[in-house]
Amino acid sequence: MEITKEHKQWLVDFNLNHPLVIAGPCSAETEEQVLKIAHELKNSDVSIFRAGIWKPRTRPGGFEGVGEIGLKWLQRAKAETGLLMAIEVANAQHVKLALEHDIDVLWIGARTTVNPFAVQEIADALQNTDKIVLIKNPVNPDLSLWIGGVERLYNAGIKKLGVIHRGFSTYEKTKFRNNPEWQIAIDLQNKFPNLPLICDPSHITGKRDMIQEVSQQALDLNYDGLIIETHIDPEKAWSDAAQQVTPATLKQIFIDLKMRKETDENAEWNKEMALQRAYIDELDTKLIEILGKRMKLAEKIGLLKKEKNVAILQNKRWNEILGRMILDGEEKGLTEEFVLKIYKAIHQESIAHQEKIINKN
Ligand code: PEP
Ligand code: MN
């Protein structure tokens, strides 16, 4: 699979000088609610209107979405405001109805991305259409499953692709509704630099007060867009009431966000950047060189241990090294967590080198 610039062209075509914004309610509730919100969002930074039509609920008995009738409301909202319309699809029937009602953007929800059968069914139903399709991360922190979702849509000939990072479930309570685990999204972005990456701070935080902060983090990490749940009367929303903001708050969030550019043209600044990067490159080369030397020493020690048939793992010695490095690290402004991580990795590699030597005849 090769995700090329072609797959990102839909985003470039918006011709924006800011990240893409998708906004609208968690759920379409009434025609009036949909139209009111859409009208408040037109002539703003928002390009795409979102609304859930079928809602996947963790437990039965909650509001499960208005269903097909809501698609008519979205068609009307689109005709009146010019905003593109986005909904969640979870099966072939949803796709069929979305296509019949001229929905522009379809997203695959987190609970669907975990299920390859469902994703394949959606991909088959979308085969070679020119819809924009966004794949949310699966609820569990599994990068392969997320990539798998992208691959199924790619293989179905979808040319307008993107992913939404909405955080991951954890059994333990954290300050987030869904733990962001930024590294997983960054890994995906590094693997597919042309795949638009959109952050969903609403489902990551679960709380409207935290949306600003998480949106800023996403922009600092060079995300291509944000999807933010927006409701005319958030407290009375039929789903996800705690995390929705009003259209006015959404505007304020955008005023307060600091937009980051990918780079700058200024020659002096570029010279200084190049210089600092050259220093970093030099240090990185040295780091690898030193690590290589350290492993060679470990091999020598391995040989000495072999001579006297002494065990590789020497817990006392290892704990001494660790204690000393944590103290040294502290002095240099490195956290204990970081030093521990690095030294565990070094220690493991070192043991592997010694084992190789010892087990060689
Ligand atoms: C939603 O966007 O309203 C939604 C159900 O999201 P997720 O699939 O991320 O839980
Ligand atoms: Mn929601």
Side-chain angles (χ1 to χ4, degrees):
M1 176 172 75
E2 199 198 348
I3 302 223
T4 63
K5 288 212 163 77
E6 176 194 20
H7 295 91
K8 194 180 187 158
Q9 192 57 40
W10 66 269
L11 181 58
V12 177
D13 287 343
F14 279 109
N15 212 359
L16 303 170
N17 59 3
H18 56 76
L20 175 75
V21 190
I22 305 173
C26 178
S27 306
E29 297 166 3
T30 64
E31 180 164 32
E32 192 197 358
Q33 173 243 21
V34 165
L35 292 174
K36 258 194 186 163
I37 302 171
H39 276 281
E40 294 245 358
L41 294 177
K42 84 171 176 208
N43 304 327
S44 70
D45 289 335
V46 177
S47 304
I48 301 174
F49 183 85
R50 63 148 285 155
I53 295 293
W54 300 280
K55 301 304 296 179
R57 303 314 295 264
T58 304
R59 312 229 348 236
F63 169 59
E64 294 190 332
V66 293
E68 189 176 344
I69 178 95
L71 296 169
K72 298 246 180 329
W73 309 339
L74 296 188
Q75 273 186 302
R76 187 162 165 206
K78 177 166 150 178
E80 291 184 13
T81 64
L83 291 166
L84 297 188
M85 294 291 136
I87 65 163
E88 171 176 349
V89 290
N91 58 41
Q93 178 65 9
H94 294 166
V95 172
K96 180 172 166 278
L97 289 168
L99 296 177
E100 279 171 20
H101 291 83
D102 275 329
I103 298 299
D104 310 279
V105 181
L106 289 77
W107 84 80
I108 297 182
R111 291 165 194 75
T112 306
T113 309
V114 289
N115 180 353
F117 287 138
V119 177
Q120 192 57 52
E121 175 183 321
I122 293 166
D124 291 344
L126 275 167
Q127 190 86 28
N128 296 322
T129 59
D130 76 337
K131 297 296 172 187
I132 299 169
V133 183
L134 307 174
I135 300 117
K136 284 199 167 196
N137 67 255
V139 281
N140 54 324
D142 184 337
L143 178 60
S144 301
L145 215 38
W146 202 0
I147 293 175
V150 176
E151 282 170 339
R152 287 177 200 279
L153 273 301
Y154 176 94
N155 291 340
I158 300 301
K159 294 287 190 293
K160 302 176 179 173
L161 282 172
V163 288
I164 300 176
H165 173 210
R166 51 78 80 195
F168 302 88
S169 276
T170 50
Y171 183 61
E172 272 149 45
K173 286 253 162 296
T174 70
K175 66 172 182 165
F176 299 102
R177 180 179 176 195
N178 292 292
N179 202 21
E181 309 225 30
W182 295 99
Q183 191 57 48
I184 297 179
I186 300 305
D187 285 349
L188 187 68
Q189 189 184 42
N190 285 337
K191 192 170 163 64
F192 302 120
N194 287 309
L195 188 61
L197 173 60
I198 295 164
C199 180
D200 178 345
S202 308
H203 289 91
I204 286 179
T205 64
K207 289 183 216 64
R208 56 185 140 265
D209 299 357
M210 288 171 69
I211 287 181
Q212 176 87 41
E213 168 195 335
V214 168
S215 300
Q216 186 66 59
Q217 267 176 298
L219 296 196
D220 292 348
L221 291 168
N222 220 5
Y223 277 49
D224 299 286
L226 297 167
I227 175 166
I228 300 182
E229 287 189 340
T230 311
H231 195 287
I232 208 82
D233 191 356
E235 259 119 277
K236 296 219 178 78
W238 297 3
S239 58
D240 287 352
Q243 71 193 32
Q244 305 206 52
V245 297
T246 61
T249 304
L250 183 72
K251 275 190 194 124
Q252 193 56 46
I253 287 175
F254 275 90
I255 293 169
D256 295 339
L257 277 178
K258 292 176 205 70
M259 303 293 166
R260 315 282 193 212
K261 303 171 282 185
E262 204 161 337
T263 184
D264 191 276
E265 302 294 314
N266 182 287
E268 263 313 300
W269 181 87
N270 271 298
K271 209 172 107 190
E272 187 59 26
M273 276 296 274
L275 184 65
Q276 299 304 332
R277 283 185 170 152
Y279 291 151
I280 293 252
D281 289 350
E282 242 173 69
L283 287 180
D284 280 341
T285 306
K286 277 191 192 141
L287 271 177
I288 292 291
E289 207 179 285
I290 290 176
L291 286 174
K293 276 189 189 152
R294 196 190 187 286
M295 294 309 151
K296 287 270 169 298
L297 285 176
E299 286 172 13
K300 270 192 192 151
I301 289 181
L303 276 178
L304 288 171
K305 284 178 184 165
K306 185 179 184 177
E307 217 177 278
K308 297 288 179 219
N309 201 22
V310 165
I312 294 180
L313 184 61
Q314 302 282 324
N315 260 326
K316 187 163 161 281
R317 159 95 179 132
W318 163 235
N319 282 327
E320 278 166 13
I321 296 181
L322 213 54
R324 189 157 50 82
M325 288 305 112
I326 288 171
L327 286 180
D328 282 3
E330 218 166 69
E331 231 169 71
K332 305 273 185 248
L334 307 175
T335 62
E336 178 171 338
E337 188 195 357
F338 175 69
V339 173
L340 274 175
K341 239 191 240 165
I342 297 253
Y343 265 85
K344 273 189 189 150
I346 290 178
H347 191 228
Q348 248 169 31
E349 179 77 5
S350 179
I351 287 177
H353 277 257
Q354 295 192 24
E355 268 174 351
K356 203 175 73 193
I357 287 287
I358 288 186
N359 295 324
K360 205 160 76 184
N361 297 319

